[in-house]
Amino acid sequence: MTRLAAAATRHPRLADSLLELSDLAREVAGSCGADVNAYADCALETLSRGGKLLFCGNGGSAADAQHLAAEYVVRMSRDRRALPAVALTTDTSVLTACANDRGYEEVFARQMEALGRPGDLLVLHSTSGESPNLIRAARAAAASGVRTVGVLAGGGGSLRTLVDIAVILPTRSVSRAQEVQLAIGHIVCRHVEETLFGGGTQPREGADT
């Protein structure tokens, strides 16, 4: 028995977690396929027409926001020109000033007011759909003529009805939802990149490899 197989025998829950993730991914492919396609089409249209992508989220979703913005700006699977994408989670001066002076609920909405333009797309990642700062960001985007995509879980929460496209993952597990949300972001980015710049991959993949 190999060391890896022995470890799986001693800790079956580790393998079960991978199977749980696999099962969720399969379920999402079936139940959310049309919404993921709509997200991909919207991202592609936004960039094709000279708009930019904006990403936001809290906690692990904040990390996903800057991760995905980097994939567009730098590269996903091939060398090509940079694509305009901004994570609203990275400017500590803006975030802390806004949280201090206007309240944490406004940290993304204020940036949408400053940066959002008609023809842009705001992508909001949330596992609850109830974060006040994301709800206000979605409303600020609508007021600025910016389209919105919510990559959500747990039923979608209030954000479900506030975004133009809602991809609602059928899980209430925060960790499983975040794992699949990031995978969807990668899938959409790859679709955009291959459509705009041609298919095929090169040896290096991802902005942080």
Side-chain angles (χ1 to χ4, degrees), residues 41-77:
D41 289 342
C42 193
L44 177 61
E45 181 183 358
T46 296
L47 294 169
S48 297
R49 295 186 175 183
K52 63 182 175 293
L53 306 182
L54 303 111
F55 294 89
C56 64
N58 294 294
S61 297
D64 288 347
Q66 58 201 73
H67 181 143
L68 292 171
E71 302 287 24
Y72 285 94
V73 172
V74 183
R75 57 173 285 151
M76 178 69 192
S77 61

Side-chain angles (χ1 to χ4, degrees), residues 11-151:
H11 306 294
R13 291 182 61 186
L14 302 182
D16 288 344
S17 293
L18 289 173
L19 293 173
E20 179 186 336
L21 176 59
S22 174
D23 289 342
L24 177 60
R26 288 180 180 276
E27 187 174 356
V28 168
S31 64
C32 303
D35 296 323
V36 173
N37 283 335
Y39 170 16
D41 289 342
C42 193
L44 177 61
E45 181 183 358
T46 296
L47 294 169
S48 297
R49 295 186 175 183
K52 63 182 175 293
L53 306 182
L54 303 111
F55 294 89
C56 64
N58 294 294
S61 297
D64 288 347
Q66 58 201 73
H67 181 143
L68 292 171
E71 302 287 24
Y72 285 94
V73 172
V74 183
R75 57 173 285 151
M76 178 69 192
S77 61
R78 62 185 297 109
D79 288 326
R80 36 76 174 173
R81 67 174 173 83
L83 295 171
V86 178
L88 303 181
T89 57
T90 57
D91 190 326
T92 55
S93 294
V94 169
L95 292 170
T96 55
C98 189
N100 187 64
D101 296 346
R102 304 178 65 89
Y104 188 67
E105 294 82 0
E106 291 291 326
V107 295
F108 300 135
R110 188 66 170 175
Q111 293 184 77
M112 286 306 305
E113 182 181 342
L115 303 174
R117 298 291 181 269
D120 290 344
L121 174 66
L122 173 66
V123 181
L124 306 102
H125 278 211
S126 177
T127 57
S128 70
E130 295 292 352
S131 299
N133 58 358
L134 298 182
I135 290 171
R136 295 198 187 191
R139 289 174 173 156
S144 300
V146 174
R147 290 182 296 179
T148 51
V149 172
V151 189

